[in-house]
Amino acid sequence: MPKSQRIAYACGACGVRVPKWVGQCPECGEWGSMEETAAPPRQAAGPGPAATGARRPVTPALKIGAVSSAQAASLPTGVGEFDRVMGGGIVPGGVTLISGEPGVGKSTLLLEVAHRFGEAGYGRALVATGEESASQVRRRADRTGCLSEELYLAAETDLGAVLGHIEDVKPGLLVLDSVQTVIAPDTDGVPGGVTQVKAVATAITQEAKARNMAVILVGHVTKDGGIAGPRALEHLVDTVVHFEGDRHSMLRLLRGVKNRFGPSDEVGCFEMTEDGIVSLADPSGLFLDDAPTEPTPGTCVTVTMEGRRAVPVEIQALLGKSVKDGAVPRHTVSGLDLARLNMVLAVLTRRGGMRLLDREVYATTIGGIRVREPASDLALALALVSADQEIAVSADLVAIGEVSLTGQVRRTVNADRRVSEAARLGFKTAIVPKGSVSERHRIEVVEVETIIDAKQAAARTWARRG
């Protein structure tokens, strides 16, 4: 490196620069994330245009009523759940960043989106891939039926070549898979590093705004599940979504994180099949076990909120034998929060008069969905009570509520929407916190104040319906 060019270090997580290497980033606290980069050149002393406040030509400011919103209108792609998360569809000139674990199906989903974009008559779609060859993408297109005449493929890792393809094809939609694999030759840094990722994303974003071209960037994720690269990348784009799911499950969730054109808390549901990815407008059946002829002890249904969507989820619990003195019992969860399971076990032991802390406990959800919100506490508690007493909870009952350390059942948000969804699916009884439901529903609503009240209500309901 020339003597005139100084050396600095940049954090791979947040992008902050420091003059010398340190083991931990002083800004975000990440360990081992500092990478060598070229420091920006020192500015010559003396006042410049920015320092003196010199005027420069600018676009005149307009009254807000005179600004057209037509350019921010969404174009529906026909992939229903994708359009739902995006706020109605793809916005010309908008840049979207999608992340997800390797193999979850990001490329398959975006190939379907690009195919539908071309089929809808919005213009050409260009898929530029640095992860795979064009023939590999073509094989996937054959399998999923994505062979639109307006869909173009290019296998490139050079930023200049990608920009050249954009100039030749003039697409209305660009899918870049992935932003970490593209190299900007005129920029220092290794491929996928902070400097390179920022340079590539900035160049593509400028091209998107200049051509009014929609762009979808695929981003790698770190071992912690965050988007790899500088944090500034998320601020640079208009929309950030996360594609998640278990490889061993058919369910995939597209979760909105940031959206300048619509709600940022929306969730789309997909099913992975041999023929590609299929949107699930009503995924409720995936999270409920096939109804047996008789209710089974250790199960209870709750209604959780995935974005703005109310989804019923069946929680199952199994209790093993008590461990010997001094041994640590095994508590295992799948799709649930282990900390909340331990808390519910402690509340049932201390406030409910049960002895559960010395027993092996296994709890899971059906369908591979992850439930993290406190509103599932009550259903988990009733499933544990049912498993302990070998008494089945009624199959047409749902339980919604957060359990506090005092044994109280606390209110949850969107209680009316949850109860309405349970009624639509044919459930007959809903156990909810007292005062949480303000509307009338076509379902029997039982309000409870404590975990003891909930246990008694569940027992009465099962006795009446059994």
Side-chain angles (χ1 to χ4, degrees):
M1 185 175 293
K3 293 182 179 180
S4 60
Q5 190 172 11
R6 296 178 297 118
I7 299 176
Y9 295 88
C11 175
C14 65
V16 67
R17 289 175 178 266
V18 293
K20 63 179 181 179
W21 186 89
V22 291
Q24 184 181 25
C25 174
E27 182 69 21
C28 65
E30 188 73 15
W31 286 93
S33 61
M34 307 306 295
E35 301 175 357
E36 182 177 319
T37 184
R42 291 190 177 97
Q43 300 294 331
T52 59
R55 295 186 179 183
R56 54 187 177 85
V58 295
T59 303
L62 301 175
K63 293 183 178 180
I64 190 170
V67 178
S68 174
S69 61
Q71 292 186 350
S74 301
L75 303 178
T77 64
V79 183
E81 293 300 289
F82 178 83
D83 293 341
R84 177 192 185 106
V85 176
M86 296 294 292
I90 292 177
V91 177
V95 181
T96 299
L97 176 63
I98 180 172
S99 65
E101 297 288 341
V104 75
K106 301 183 298 297
S107 300
T108 303
L109 172 63
L110 296 182
L111 185 63
E112 176 74 18
V113 170
H115 164 71
R116 295 290 188 92
F117 184 90
E119 290 286 299
Y122 298 134
R124 297 173 177 176
L126 172 62
V127 176
T129 174
E131 304 275 357
E132 303 171 290
S133 65
S135 59
Q136 288 176 307
V137 179
R138 169 59 196 268
R139 291 186 61 182
R140 182 184 297 115
D142 290 334
R143 177 171 55 85
T144 59
C146 299
L147 297 174
S148 170
E149 291 293 330
E150 299 297 320
L151 178 58
Y152 290 73
L153 300 178
E156 299 289 353
T157 57
D158 183 83
L159 176 61
V162 173
L163 296 177
H165 286 300
I166 294 175
E167 179 65 30
D168 295 338
V169 178
K170 295 179 173 56
L173 169 65
L174 169 67
V175 176
L176 185 60
D177 187 7
S178 65
V179 67
Q180 279 89 359
T181 60
V182 179
I183 303 172
D186 298 333
T187 305
D188 296 330
V190 297
V194 175
T195 308
Q196 283 285 333
V197 170
K198 289 180 67 175
V200 172
T202 301
I204 295 297
T205 300
Q206 291 175 350
E207 198 73 12
K209 304 303 181 184
R211 295 177 176 272
N212 202 30
M213 172 185 64
V215 173
I216 301 179
L217 305 176
V218 178
H220 293 169
V221 296
T222 63
K223 61 182 180 180
D224 298 326
I227 301 176
R231 193 74 179 184
L233 183 61
E234 298 182 47
H235 297 284
L236 185 65
V237 301
D238 301 303
T239 307
V240 180
V241 294
H242 186 70
F243 200 45
E244 62 186 42
D246 189 349
R247 291 187 182 184
H248 306 291
S249 172
M250 297 184 299
L251 176 67
R252 300 290 188 271
L253 296 179
L254 184 66
R255 194 179 302 275
V257 179
K258 167 190 173 183
N259 194 346
R260 291 174 177 166
F261 309 114
S264 60
D265 59 348
E266 199 56 89
V267 174
C269 296
F270 299 86
E271 183 179 11
M272 178 67 78
T273 66
E274 294 183 356
D275 298 328
I277 291 182
V278 181
S279 296
L280 295 177
D282 187 6
S284 301
L286 288 178
F287 313 126
L288 299 176
D289 202 359
D290 295 335
T293 55
E294 293 292 335
T296 305
T299 65
C300 188
V301 178
T302 188
V303 182
T304 184
M305 295 300 299
E306 289 292 341
R308 300 185 177 185
R309 169 182 286 165
V311 178
V313 178
E314 181 175 326
I315 296 178
Q316 297 183 347
L318 178 65
L319 297 179
K321 60 183 180 180
S322 300
V323 298
K324 297 180 180 179
D325 294 340
V328 178
R330 175 180 297 177
H331 295 169
T332 304
V333 297
S334 176
L336 295 167
D337 188 358
L338 180 60
R340 300 208 70 84
L341 170 65
N342 292 330
M343 187 201 72
V344 171
L345 289 172
V347 172
L348 289 175
T349 300
R350 184 67 178 87
R351 309 295 180 185
M354 304 175 64
R355 184 178 178 181
L356 299 176
L357 290 179
D358 61 343
R359 301 184 63 178
E360 294 182 345
V361 181
Y362 305 88
T364 184
T365 59
I366 295 298
I369 190 172
R370 295 184 177 91
V371 178
R372 296 290 186 266
E373 62 171 349
S376 62
D377 289 350
L378 187 57
L380 176 59
L382 292 182
L384 292 169
V385 172
S386 173
D388 177 64
Q389 300 181 359
E390 288 293 330
I391 300 177
V393 175
S394 176
D396 57 12
L397 179 144
V398 296
I400 305 165
E402 176 185 358
V403 176
S404 68
L405 293 178
T406 62
Q408 302 292 317
V409 181
R410 303 181 61 184
R411 300 182 185 180
T412 59
V413 297
N414 298 315
D416 284 297
R417 186 177 299 179
R418 299 172 196 259
V419 174
S420 296
E421 179 66 13
R424 185 185 71 84
L425 294 173
F427 289 91
K428 303 300 182 183
T429 305
I431 300 179
V432 300
K434 186 175 182 179
S436 60
V437 176
S438 58
E439 302 175 4
R440 297 187 62 181
H441 301 277
R442 294 176 299 173
I443 187 174
E444 180 184 358
V445 177
V446 180
E447 296 185 335
V448 297
E449 293 184 353
T450 66
I451 190 66
I452 300 297
D453 298 339
K455 289 170 55 179
Q456 296 173 351
R460 289 195 303 268
T461 303
W462 169 241
R464 184 170 68 251
R465 301 195 185 284

